[in-house]
Amino acid sequence: MSTIEWPDHLLTLDEWETLPGDERFKVELAEGVLALSPRPIPVHQRAIRSLLLALTDQLPGRLEALPEVEVLLDEAPPTIRIPDVIVVDRSASDTDLPRLTASDAHVVIEVLSDGTRRLDRVTKFAEYADAGIPRYWLVDLADPVTVATYALVDGTYELAGEIAGPATLRVADAEVRLDPTKLIAQ
């Protein structure tokens, strides 16, 4: 069993980069403090895969959807979040840097799950808005599966729509067709 030496201070970005990886947990950094959560269950992963496939098939070539990429939201103290899916310009992902910045993101998507529901709806909701990310989608896998989309207006997210069936959604200057009912279908 691996152990992580718990720091007795707020971590810096340099210290974050030296931490060992741990495949058992999703590890993020919230204002310099380590935040651990269990890895997602298979249905959560299926929804992420389905989102990636749907977006990849429809996004113009200059945009790219990526799973679980580190995103630097703030530098001092550092906040690094790992959204389930992020849509960025392909040029941002081609840089091969260890993480992207909030300014690279067109859309961040979180799939709600037990243990992260409040984090995604409250904490990350505020953090992503404060960082200036233009759009935030929350996917709720409860029956019926829904996608709530938020657009940044004057520094806060406003509900742009909530879908439970096929709909067209805006991603940067493009549109994609998404059907939430197919996100967890086998």
Side-chain angles (χ1 to χ4, degrees):
M1 181 165 158
S2 67
T3 60
I4 295 176
E5 177 96 13
W6 289 101
D8 60 356
H9 60 278
L10 299 179
L11 291 178
T12 65
L13 280 176
D14 289 338
E15 290 171 320
W16 166 261
E17 289 179 0
T18 64
L19 290 176
D22 191 326
E23 293 301 314
R24 297 173 302 152
F25 301 102
K26 181 176 185 178
V27 183
E28 296 176 310
L29 195 59
E31 296 182 352
V33 177
L34 288 176
L36 282 75
S37 58
R39 285 279 171 198
I41 61 174
V43 70
H44 186 110
Q45 293 292 6
R46 185 181 310 132
I48 292 171
R49 184 192 68 222
S50 297
L51 280 165
L52 286 168
L53 291 171
L55 292 169
T56 299
D57 286 347
Q58 299 178 67
L59 288 173
R62 66 175 184 76
L63 295 175
E64 182 172 27
L66 300 168
E68 299 184 332
V69 173
E70 287 185 13
V71 180
L72 178 63
L73 301 180
D74 199 353
E75 288 192 37
T79 295
I80 296 173
R81 292 297 184 183
I82 305 172
D84 290 320
V85 177
I86 184 171
V87 176
V88 298
D89 288 325
R90 189 172 297 275
S91 60
S93 61
D94 285 344
T95 61
D96 204 28
L97 295 173
R99 71 194 51 84
L100 299 173
T101 64
S103 63
D104 294 320
H106 293 288
V107 178
V108 291
I109 305 169
E110 295 288 0
V111 177
L112 299 175
S113 62
D114 293 340
T116 67
R117 192 170 295 274
R118 181 170 175 73
L119 177 67
D120 293 340
R121 287 186 182 207
V122 178
T123 305
K124 288 185 179 183
F125 191 90
E127 289 175 346
Y128 291 153
D130 288 346
I133 296 171
R135 295 191 182 277
Y136 184 34
W137 297 359
L138 285 171
V139 178
D140 192 340
L141 300 179
D143 191 22
V145 176
T146 59
V147 178
T149 64
Y150 297 88
L152 193 62
V153 177
D154 297 328
T156 59
Y157 284 125
E158 291 185 3
L159 183 65
E162 187 167 2
I163 63 169
T168 300
L169 304 174
R170 177 150 296 285
V171 177
D173 60 357
E175 292 184 338
V176 296
R177 188 105 172 121
L178 188 65
D179 184 352
T181 65
K182 296 188 177 186
L183 293 179
I184 59 172
Q186 295 277 351

XYZ file of all heavy atoms in Angstrom, residues 136-183:
362
model
N -19.987 25.825 -18.814
C -19.868 24.724 -17.864
C -21.087 23.834 -18.055
O -22.219 24.326 -18.072
C -19.813 25.285 -16.443
C -19.604 24.287 -15.330
C -18.822 23.147 -15.512
C -20.156 24.498 -14.081
C -18.614 22.248 -14.466
C -19.947 23.618 -13.029
C -19.182 22.496 -13.225
O -18.975 21.611 -12.198
N -20.842 22.541 -18.222
C -21.936 21.573 -18.359
C -21.870 20.612 -17.182
O -20.800 20.114 -16.818
C -21.810 20.758 -19.643
C -21.906 21.518 -20.922
C -22.111 22.855 -21.104
C -21.781 20.970 -22.230
N -22.126 23.153 -22.431
C -21.923 22.024 -23.154
C -21.555 19.676 -22.709
C -21.859 21.825 -24.523
C -21.484 19.476 -24.071
C -21.643 20.543 -24.975
N -23.027 20.325 -16.608
C -23.148 19.323 -15.555
C -24.021 18.188 -16.067
O -25.185 18.418 -16.439
C -23.789 19.926 -14.302
C -22.902 20.833 -13.475
C -23.709 21.544 -12.406
C -21.785 20.033 -12.846
N -23.472 16.981 -16.085
C -24.195 15.801 -16.541
C -24.658 15.040 -15.305
O -23.839 14.650 -14.480
C -23.294 14.904 -17.414
C -24.044 13.656 -17.848
C -22.763 15.680 -18.614
N -25.972 14.852 -15.192
C -26.547 14.119 -14.072
C -27.040 12.776 -14.596
O -27.920 12.726 -15.454
C -27.694 14.911 -13.453
C -28.140 14.338 -12.111
O -27.847 13.155 -11.824
O -28.777 15.086 -11.352
N -26.447 11.693 -14.104
C -26.763 10.352 -14.599
C -28.003 9.745 -13.957
O -28.406 8.643 -14.330
C -25.554 9.426 -14.390
C -24.269 9.865 -15.093
C -23.146 8.889 -14.795
C -24.485 10.017 -16.587
N -28.625 10.462 -13.017
C -29.874 9.959 -12.413
C -30.947 9.908 -13.505
O -30.913 10.666 -14.465
C -30.311 10.869 -11.280
N -31.898 9.008 -13.325
C -32.954 8.827 -14.319
C -33.974 9.961 -14.205
O -34.523 10.165 -13.117
C -33.629 7.473 -14.083
C -34.553 7.080 -15.216
O -34.364 7.604 -16.330
O -35.454 6.260 -14.979
N -34.214 10.750 -15.245
C -33.613 10.669 -16.567
C -32.265 11.397 -16.594
O -32.049 12.362 -15.863
C -34.626 11.414 -17.453
C -35.193 12.460 -16.550
C -35.236 11.817 -15.177
N -31.365 10.928 -17.440
C -30.065 11.564 -17.605
C -30.297 12.959 -18.191
O -31.060 13.125 -19.144
C -29.155 10.734 -18.530
C -27.833 11.451 -18.765
C -28.926 9.349 -17.948
N -29.657 13.957 -17.579
C -29.801 15.330 -18.059
C -28.436 15.997 -18.189
O -27.463 15.577 -17.555
C -30.657 16.187 -17.101
O -30.036 16.192 -15.815
C -32.080 15.665 -17.004
N -28.405 17.024 -19.016
C -27.225 17.876 -19.131
C -27.697 19.308 -18.910
O -28.533 19.820 -19.664
C -26.542 17.747 -20.511
C -25.343 18.698 -20.600
C -26.109 16.315 -20.781
N -27.186 19.927 -17.842
C -27.460 21.341 -17.580
C -26.287 22.136 -18.130
O -25.128 21.824 -17.832
C -27.626 21.586 -16.087
N -26.586 23.138 -18.951
C -25.526 23.947 -19.548
C -25.597 25.355 -18.985
O -26.676 25.927 -18.826
C -25.644 23.980 -21.087
O -26.856 24.633 -21.459
C -25.612 22.576 -21.665
N -24.431 25.880 -18.665
C -24.323 27.218 -18.095
C -23.392 28.054 -18.955
O -22.379 27.555 -19.467
C -23.763 27.147 -16.671
C -24.661 26.383 -15.729
C -24.539 25.006 -15.587
C -25.648 27.046 -15.009
C -25.377 24.301 -14.740
C -26.488 26.344 -14.151
C -26.349 24.978 -14.026
O -27.187 24.285 -13.185
N -23.740 29.322 -19.102
C -22.905 30.272 -19.838
C -22.460 31.365 -18.865
O -23.241 31.803 -18.002
C -23.689 30.877 -20.991
N -21.232 31.791 -19.011
C -20.681 32.831 -18.147
C -21.215 34.188 -18.599
O -21.038 34.587 -19.752
C -19.153 32.811 -18.216
C -18.403 33.601 -17.168
C -18.690 33.070 -15.771
C -16.909 33.552 -17.443
N -21.894 34.890 -17.687
C -22.445 36.210 -17.963
C -22.028 37.126 -16.817
O -22.379 36.880 -15.657
C -23.988 36.161 -18.082
C -24.553 37.566 -18.304
C -24.426 35.214 -19.185
N -21.258 38.148 -17.146
C -20.788 39.103 -16.131
C -20.135 38.410 -14.943
O -20.390 38.764 -13.778
C -21.931 40.003 -15.662
C -22.482 40.875 -16.790
O -21.686 41.257 -17.676
O -23.696 41.149 -16.778
N -19.330 37.395 -15.204
C -18.556 36.738 -14.154
C -19.263 35.654 -13.379
O -18.669 35.065 -12.485
N -20.531 35.371 -13.688
C -21.240 34.286 -13.018
C -21.929 33.416 -14.060
O -22.257 33.875 -15.158
C -22.300 34.804 -12.016
O -23.241 35.612 -12.720
C -21.667 35.610 -10.907
N -22.157 32.161 -13.706
C -22.840 31.260 -14.619
C -24.346 31.445 -14.527
O -24.901 31.517 -13.430
C -22.492 29.798 -14.318
C -21.118 29.395 -14.785
C -20.209 28.835 -13.909
C -20.725 29.564 -16.111
C -18.948 28.457 -14.330
C -19.465 29.203 -16.536
C -18.578 28.647 -15.648
O -17.336 28.280 -16.075
N -24.959 31.502 -15.701
C -26.404 31.504 -15.802
C -26.824 30.256 -16.552
O -26.152 29.851 -17.514
C -26.899 32.749 -16.546
C -26.697 34.020 -15.759
C -27.298 35.244 -16.445
O -27.933 35.104 -17.507
O -27.110 36.349 -15.896
N -27.927 29.664 -16.119
C -28.430 28.470 -16.783
C -28.802 28.816 -18.220
O -29.631 29.690 -18.462
C -29.644 27.914 -16.030
C -30.232 26.620 -16.572
C -29.245 25.465 -16.447
C -31.526 26.282 -15.825
N -28.171 28.138 -19.174
C -28.473 28.341 -20.593
C -29.533 27.351 -21.052
O -30.253 27.597 -22.007
C -27.202 28.205 -21.434
N -29.598 26.204 -20.370
C -30.602 25.209 -20.707
C -30.326 23.905 -19.994
O -29.219 23.667 -19.508
N -31.361 23.079 -19.923
C -31.212 21.734 -19.365
C -31.913 20.788 -20.322
O -33.078 20.987 -20.648
C -31.810 21.637 -17.966
C -31.525 20.304 -17.317
C -31.835 20.296 -15.833
O -32.311 21.307 -15.289
O -31.590 19.254 -15.211
N -31.176 19.772 -20.763
C -31.733 18.855 -21.751
C -31.827 17.446 -21.189
O -30.979 17.016 -20.411
C -30.925 18.862 -23.074
C -29.487 18.379 -22.856
C -30.923 20.263 -23.686
C -28.718 18.121 -24.141
N -32.887 16.752 -21.587
C -33.071 15.349 -21.215
C -33.278 14.504 -22.461
O -33.454 13.301 -22.373
C -34.259 15.198 -20.270
N -33.243 15.140 -23.620
C -33.385 14.466 -24.906
C -32.487 15.158 -25.912
O -31.754 16.096 -25.566
N -32.522 14.718 -27.164
C -31.637 15.287 -28.185
C -31.769 16.815 -28.271
O -32.876 17.348 -28.267
C -32.101 14.626 -29.472
C -32.823 13.391 -29.042
C -33.421 13.703 -27.713
N -30.631 17.493 -28.333
C -30.622 18.953 -28.431
C -29.307 19.407 -29.052
O -28.321 18.667 -29.063
C -30.801 19.580 -27.054
N -29.315 20.618 -29.544
C -28.114 21.225 -30.098
C -27.540 22.177 -29.056
O -28.263 23.021 -28.518
C -28.439 21.986 -31.404
O -28.988 21.050 -32.340
C -27.203 22.618 -31.993
N -26.247 22.022 -28.783
C -25.565 22.824 -27.770
C -24.410 23.586 -28.398
O -23.772 23.098 -29.339
C -25.036 21.925 -26.648
C -26.065 21.043 -25.940
C -25.379 20.106 -24.966
C -27.101 21.900 -25.235
N -24.121 24.756 -27.845
C -23.026 25.588 -28.346
C -21.723 25.207 -27.662
O -21.666 25.052 -26.445
C -23.333 27.058 -28.102
C -22.196 27.960 -28.550
C -22.598 29.309 -29.017
N -23.417 29.396 -30.200
C -22.983 29.209 -31.446
N -21.757 28.854 -31.674
N -23.795 29.365 -32.464
N -20.672 25.076 -28.474
C -19.306 24.842 -27.998
C -18.420 25.821 -28.759
O -18.233 25.673 -29.968
C -18.835 23.396 -28.270
C -17.395 23.219 -27.818
C -19.748 22.394 -27.598
N -17.914 26.836 -28.066
C -17.175 27.927 -28.709
C -18.074 28.507 -29.799
O -19.212 28.849 -29.523
C -15.832 27.437 -29.230
N -17.591 28.570 -31.040
C -18.428 29.098 -32.123
C -19.026 27.973 -32.964
O -19.469 28.192 -34.087
C -17.642 30.066 -32.994
C -16.424 29.412 -33.639
O -16.154 28.224 -33.363
O -15.734 30.090 -34.411
N -19.062 26.777 -32.406
C -19.616 25.613 -33.105
C -20.850 25.112 -32.357
O -21.129 25.526 -31.237
C -18.562 24.505 -33.191
N -21.572 24.223 -33.011
C -22.718 23.575 -32.374
C -22.562 22.075 -32.483
O -22.025 21.564 -33.482
C -24.025 24.014 -33.042
C -24.364 25.472 -32.789
C -25.701 25.871 -33.382
O -26.179 25.198 -34.320
O -26.263 26.867 -32.890
N -23.013 21.372 -31.453
C -22.994 19.911 -31.450
C -24.370 19.408 -31.039
O -25.071 20.053 -30.265
C -21.912 19.329 -30.507
C -20.514 19.698 -30.972
C -22.130 19.776 -29.069
N -24.718 18.265 -31.563
C -25.992 17.621 -31.209
C -25.666 16.570 -30.145
O -24.760 15.758 -30.319
C -26.586 16.972 -32.459
C -27.962 16.443 -32.262
C -28.959 17.376 -32.929
N -30.288 16.773 -32.898
C -31.301 17.362 -32.313
N -31.146 18.531 -31.747
N -32.478 16.799 -32.312
N -26.398 16.599 -29.050
C -26.134 15.681 -27.949
C -27.450 15.092 -27.467
O -28.447 15.795 -27.340
C -25.439 16.418 -26.801
C -24.930 15.574 -25.652
C -23.820 14.646 -26.115
C -24.409 16.472 -24.533
N -27.422 13.795 -27.199
C -28.593 13.113 -26.658
C -28.185 12.474 -25.318
O -27.508 11.450 -25.288
C -29.074 12.035 -27.617
C -30.355 11.342 -27.152
O -30.783 11.599 -26.000
O -30.903 10.555 -27.927
N -28.581 13.102 -24.194
C -28.206 12.570 -22.884
C -28.627 11.128 -22.658
O -27.949 10.394 -21.924
C -28.918 13.509 -21.900
C -29.152 14.748 -22.656
C -29.358 14.330 -24.086
N -29.729 10.703 -23.274
C -30.215 9.324 -23.051
C -29.225 8.293 -23.576
O -29.270 7.140 -23.171
C -31.588 9.103 -23.724
O -31.451 9.216 -25.146
C -32.609 10.092 -23.220
N -28.313 8.700 -24.456
C -27.352 7.753 -25.034
C -26.008 7.750 -24.298
O -25.134 6.962 -24.638
C -27.138 8.068 -26.505
C -28.422 7.863 -27.285
C -28.219 7.973 -28.749
C -29.578 7.681 -29.382
N -29.577 7.597 -30.754
N -25.850 8.613 -23.301
C -24.561 8.710 -22.630
C -24.210 7.479 -21.819
O -23.033 7.161 -21.650
C -24.512 9.954 -21.736
C -24.543 11.285 -22.465
C -24.514 12.432 -21.462
C -23.402 11.398 -23.467
